[in-house]
Amino acid sequence: GAVVSQHPSWVICKSGTSVKIECRSLDFQATTMFWYRQFPKQSLMLMATSNEGSKATYEQGVEKDKFLINHASLTLSTLTVTSAHPEDSSFYICSAPHEGGNYGYTFGSGTRLTVV
Amino acid sequence: AQTVTQSQPEMSVQEAETVTLSCTYDTSESDYYLFWYKQPPSRQMILVIRQEAYKQQNATENRFSVNFQKAAKSFSLKISDSQLGDAAMYFCAYYSLDSNYQLIWGAGTKLIIKP
């Protein structure tokens, strides 16, 4: 089945540094990738939608300059948290629709980011 | 706007028993898809079951089945013969062809399995 590989699984970084999270579609072409943030015991909150070869669409309230999304190829989308601060600590998940979304969405395994 | 509501923050069931998780949604669309996703402690999201709105027949996947009531905009998940491995957060989600592939999520229900 469709697989999205997400790395790293967890990362600890110092405040002020940047962290890049990668999501690769291994056996299908992901023209669209959704990036979510999930707080403990809460549902997924959509941050942005990336489309291959075009600028990402950010949800209201999400800082574009802090959360840089790049979708340069049909198999790779990246999220870079720039100048990270402790409040950016969270669980980040990527997801891509396959078969047009009608058959479901494939999720990466998530990245737990801790900013110290 | 489309919304998805899961009114049960937490449910518990005895192992081998049956449990039903509720989900209601609001939409003006006639063609859409509904999903139940499972998120175990590993936090990997796993598709449990999907339902196309145009199909009257309720979807079934082994021990998991849904009760899809289109007029009532209800989409409940029934888990039969509950197993310890079913313990997880369960999220109901909606997707419309006009939503630019975006999934609309419910708040989730934490399912506890009692041995």
Side-chain angles (χ1 to χ4, degrees):
Chain A
V3 176
V4 171
S5 177
Q6 183 172 349
H7 294 281
S9 297
W10 60 270
V11 57
I12 302 174
C13 71
K14 291 184 177 181
S15 186
T17 62
S18 296
V19 173
K20 179 183 284 188
I21 301 170
E22 291 189 350
C23 280
R24 294 181 182 273
S25 56
L26 298 185
D27 48 4
F28 70 104
Q29 293 182 332
T31 56
T32 299
M33 189 73 74
F34 296 103
W35 286 94
Y36 294 94
R37 183 172 181 176
Q38 187 180 31
F39 293 101
K41 300 182 180 180
Q42 292 189 23
S43 188
L44 281 69
M45 182 185 74
L46 181 64
M47 298 174 63
T49 303
S50 72
N51 293 289
E52 187 268 335
S54 63
K55 289 184 177 181
T57 302
Y58 290 82
E59 296 300 302
Q60 191 172 8
V62 177
E63 298 178 59
K64 302 178 182 181
D65 295 332
K66 168 167 277 298
F67 299 101
L68 299 179
I69 291 174
N70 184 275
H71 197 148
S73 76
L74 289 172
T75 59
L76 176 63
S77 178
T78 62
L79 166 66
T80 301
V81 183
T82 63
S83 186
H85 290 286
E87 57 265 31
D88 299 324
S89 298
S90 192
F91 191 71
Y92 296 88
I93 310 175
C94 61
S95 173
H98 59 97
E99 300 291 341
N102 298 350
Y103 293 90
Y105 293 66
T106 300
F107 288 81
S109 54
T111 298
R112 180 178 298 280
L113 170 64
T114 301
V115 184
V116 297
Chain B
Q2 301 97 339
T3 58
V4 176
T5 302
Q6 292 179 253
S7 59
Q8 306 154 317
E10 186 175 297
M11 291 282 285
S12 63
V13 63
Q14 205 72 36
E15 192 177 3
E17 297 294 309
T18 297
V19 64
T20 298
L21 308 184
S22 66
C23 173
T24 58
Y25 58 94
D26 188 25
T27 182
S28 59
E29 304 289 338
S30 60
D31 197 8
Y32 50 87
Y33 295 79
L34 295 162
F35 306 90
W36 277 98
Y37 277 91
K38 168 185 178 180
Q39 188 178 40
S42 68
R43 304 191 78 170
Q44 172 72 58
M45 296 291 284
I46 302 166
L47 177 64
V48 176
I49 202 165
R50 58 184 281 275
Q51 174 81 44
E52 296 98 324
Y54 65 86
K55 288 187 176 180
Q56 292 185 336
Q57 187 173 6
N58 290 324
T60 299
E61 289 287 342
N62 301 313
R63 297 182 295 106
F64 299 87
S65 62
V66 298
N67 183 5
F68 173 49
Q69 301 290 328
K70 190 172 184 179
K73 297 180 182 176
S74 172
F75 182 60
S76 60
L77 174 69
K78 185 173 81 171
I79 305 174
S80 304
D81 185 26
S82 298
Q83 301 175 0
L84 294 178
D86 296 334
M89 284 291 292
Y90 286 81
F91 294 98
C92 178
Y94 160 102
Y95 155 61
S96 165
L97 295 176
D98 293 333
S99 69
N100 196 27
Y101 300 120
Q102 288 187 18
L103 280 171
I104 309 299
W105 295 91
T109 297
K110 181 179 180 180
L111 179 62
I112 298 169
I113 310 295
K114 298 178 180 178

